[in-house]
Amino acid sequence: MKILSIETSCDETAVSLIEATGDFPTAEYKILGNALFSQIDIHREYGGVFPAVAKREHAKTLVPMLEKALAESGIEKQNSTVNSTILQDIKLVLEREEGLFAQLQNFAGEYERPDIDVIAVTSGPGLEPTLWVGINFAKALALLWNIPVVPVNHMEGHILASIFSGSHLAKLEFPSLSLLISGGHTELISSNDWQHYEKIGQTRDDAVGEAFDKVARLLGLPYPGGPEISSRASEARAANLPAFSKLPRPMLDSKDLDFSFSGLKTAVRYAVADKDLSEDEKASIARDFEDAVTEVLLKKTEAAINTTGARSLILGGGVSANTYIRNSFLGFFTKEYPELSLYLPDPKLSTDNSVMIALAGHMRASAALSPQESLSISADGNLSLSERIIS
Ligand code: KG4
Ligand code: ZN
C-alpha cells in the first residue's frame, strides 16, 4: 500500500510518500519520498508562530513539497489533462487557501495520477487555520486523482514515530505508556492495545515545549526555545557552573499524574527580573530549568508506570528531541526498570514530520473516506486521543 501523507498542524509543511508492504503492525515500510519545510526562520522574527502567517506559508509551500516528495520517489513530470468539472470542484475546495488553487492547477497539468492508495492528513490537534490548509489540500488531491483520504491524529503520529526504526515498528508490548511532550501537549497516555488510549495525566497549564519556549524568551534567546535552552544547559553542565536559582518542582508530590509548568516559568521570570544577565548566568538558569522539568517528568512517568503496570514506555513529541531528557529517561528506566522496553524517537522524527502521519494513516487505512466523503473532514484544534480518565 502506498500512502501519501500531509502534515500542517503548526509550522512545518511536510509531505511524504511511503510504501507499506504487509499489514499493520508488522508491515515493512519504505520511505520513498520525504519533504519537509520548516517555517522557523519566518516565525523567529515574530518570536513565535502566528497562525495567519503559518497558514499563508503552508499554502505557498505544499505544492513544492509534494513535487519534492514525488521527485524523490522517482515520479517524473508528464503532461496530463484534467477534467474541467473536477477542476471546478477543486477550486471550491481551495477557495480559502490563497494562491493554492493556481499552483495545484499548474501541477495537475504536469503530473499523471501516481500510484497512491490512500492520502493521510493531520486533522488535529494543532492550529485550526493551518490544519485546514493541509486538509483542503488532501481533499483537492483526492478529487484530482480519485484517492480516498484518512484523517489522522497528530499525537498518534508522534507515538508511532517513536517506535519506528526506519523500516519497521517495534513489536510493542501492552500495556504501554506514552509520555507525549510537545509545544501544545504534555500528557500521559496508557494503552491496552493499538488505537486504544486512556489519558491518565496531563498539564494543567503550559505544555513542556511551551515552557521551554517562554523561558527562552525570558532569557532573550530566539524561538523556538527548546533547542536553545538545551544547548545552553549542556554548556552549563560541562562547565559545572554554579546554580543561579533554586527552581521549584511543580506538583512533584501531588497524588495525581498531572503536571504544571506555568509556575516554573514564573519562578524564572522572578529570578531574571531586571537583571542584566551574563551568558554564564543564562546558561545556569537554562540548566536549572531543564533539571526541574526533567525531574518532574521522570517522577510522574515512574508513578504512571507503577499505576498501570506498563511493559513499554514511549517518549514522543517535539521535546523528546531534548538530549538531556532522553539521556535521563534512558539512564533512569534502564537501571530501575530493566524489564521495561523504552522507546525514543529518532531525533529526526521527534519534531513534526509527515512520516509519522503516514504510519498513523497506514494503521487507520480501513477508516479511509472516499473522495466525496472526505469533503466532510474538518480540522479539530483540540482533537484528543481519548477523553481524560479521572485518576
Ligand atoms: O511536536 P512539535 O514539533 O510540535 C508540536 O506538535 O507542538 O514540538 C515542538 C516543541 C517546541 O516547543 C520546541 O521548543 C520543542 O518542541 N523542542 C525542544 C527541543 N526541540 C524542540 N524542547 C526541548 N529541547 C529540544 N531539543
Ligand atoms: Zn507535534
Side-chain angles (χ1 to χ4, degrees):
M1 168 181 275
K2 287 195 181 145
I3 307 146
L4 180 77
S5 59
I6 300 166
E7 156 65 36
T8 61
S9 69
C10 188
D11 58 352
E12 260 85 36
T13 314
V15 179
S16 307
L17 183 56
I18 289 190
E19 182 169 16
T21 309
D23 293 333
F24 186 89
T26 52
E28 184 183 333
Y29 295 96
K30 202 165 163 204
I31 302 176
L32 304 174
N34 182 22
L36 182 143
F37 175 77
S38 169
Q39 303 174 0
I40 281 175
D41 289 339
I42 295 153
H43 297 300
R44 192 172 284 130
E45 267 179 61
Y46 304 93
V49 180
F50 276 93
V53 176
K55 175 182 155 75
R56 193 188 63 208
E57 292 302 319
H58 285 304
K60 220 198 274 180
T61 321
L62 273 167
V63 170
M65 289 302 109
L66 174 60
E67 290 192 341
K68 186 160 182 256
L70 293 179
E72 284 180 12
S73 311
I75 296 170
E76 288 172 10
K77 286 190 181 181
Q78 248 178 358
N79 278 345
S80 166
T81 42
V82 187
N83 173 315
S84 60
T85 323
I86 292 182
L87 271 182
Q88 284 315 308
D89 291 347
I90 292 176
K91 191 170 186 184
L92 282 178
V93 166
L94 295 179
E95 177 171 66
R96 300 216 173 120
E97 317 308 341
E98 225 179 306
L100 189 49
F101 174 69
Q103 278 198 69
L104 190 61
Q105 189 175 14
N106 266 333
F107 169 90
E110 292 179 338
Y111 285 87
E112 289 281 356
R113 181 196 189 285
D115 172 22
I116 292 170
D117 299 284
V118 67
I119 299 171
V121 62
T122 308
S123 64
L127 303 171
E128 282 191 8
T130 69
L131 287 164
W132 273 115
V133 191
I135 291 171
N136 286 333
F137 189 58
K139 292 175 181 176
L141 292 175
L143 292 173
L144 177 66
W145 291 331
N146 193 26
I147 299 175
V149 181
V150 60
V152 162
N153 182 312
H154 179 87
M155 303 314 287
E156 187 166 70
H158 274 304
I159 292 177
L160 293 174
S162 298
I163 58 169
F164 183 52
S165 69
S167 63
H168 287 91
L169 294 171
K171 198 173 173 307
L172 194 63
E173 287 186 277
F174 295 101
S176 70
L177 178 77
S178 302
L179 172 65
L180 300 178
I181 44 179
S182 69
H185 290 79
T186 300
E187 51 195 25
L188 280 162
I189 305 280
S190 169
S191 296
N192 284 317
D193 200 353
W194 298 107
Q195 303 188 27
H196 288 76
Y197 306 101
E198 285 183 358
K199 193 187 292 177
I200 56 174
Q202 66 187 346
T203 182
R204 296 198 177 166
D205 39 59
D206 293 351
V208 186
E210 190 180 356
F212 267 93
D213 295 338
K214 287 177 175 169
V215 166
R217 198 175 310 158
L218 289 170
L219 297 178
L221 304 174
Y223 175 85
E228 296 285 335
I229 296 268
S230 168
S231 65
R232 301 295 174 116
S234 62
E235 281 165 30
R237 281 188 202 97
N240 211 3
L241 296 176
F244 183 86
S245 45
K246 178 77 190 125
L247 297 177
R249 270 57 177 158
M251 299 188 61
L252 193 65
D253 297 312
S254 70
K255 296 276 171 270
D256 53 31
L257 298 172
D258 281 352
F259 302 89
S260 163
F261 294 102
S262 76
L264 191 48
K265 167 198 69 194
T266 309
V268 172
R269 177 174 292 131
Y270 283 124
V272 307
D274 302 327
K275 295 197 184 82
D276 196 11
L277 297 171
S278 70
E279 292 307 312
D280 274 2
E281 286 167 337
K282 285 186 189 175
S284 271
I285 297 170
R287 186 223 21 226
D288 299 345
F289 169 76
E290 206 175 59
D291 281 347
V293 167
T294 306
E295 194 178 325
V296 175
L297 291 176
L298 276 175
K299 175 114 190 250
K300 292 283 172 164
T301 305
E302 182 183 20
I305 283 172
N306 294 336
T307 306
T308 59
R311 298 168 70 190
S312 22
L313 171 60
I314 297 169
L315 190 61
V319 183
S320 69
N322 182 282
T323 313
Y324 185 71
I325 296 176
R326 292 172 79 94
N327 290 340
S328 304
F329 269 71
L330 269 171
F332 179 79
F333 286 104
T334 315
K335 182 159 173 275
E336 304 295 331
Y337 292 78
E339 304 292 303
L340 184 78
S341 309
L342 172 61
Y343 298 102
L344 304 174
D346 177 329
K348 288 195 291 297
L349 294 182
S350 296
T351 47
D352 291 350
N353 64 84
S354 48
V355 172
M356 68 188 208
I357 303 308
L359 296 172
H362 185 231
M363 179 169 78
R364 299 269 177 189
S366 62
L369 303 168
S370 71
Q372 277 306 319
E373 289 167 345
S374 81
L375 299 178
S376 67
I377 297 173
S378 53
D380 181 353
N382 297 315
L383 185 65
S384 178
L385 280 174
S386 90
E387 286 316 310
R388 187 196 160 73
I389 307 294
I390 304 299
S391 58

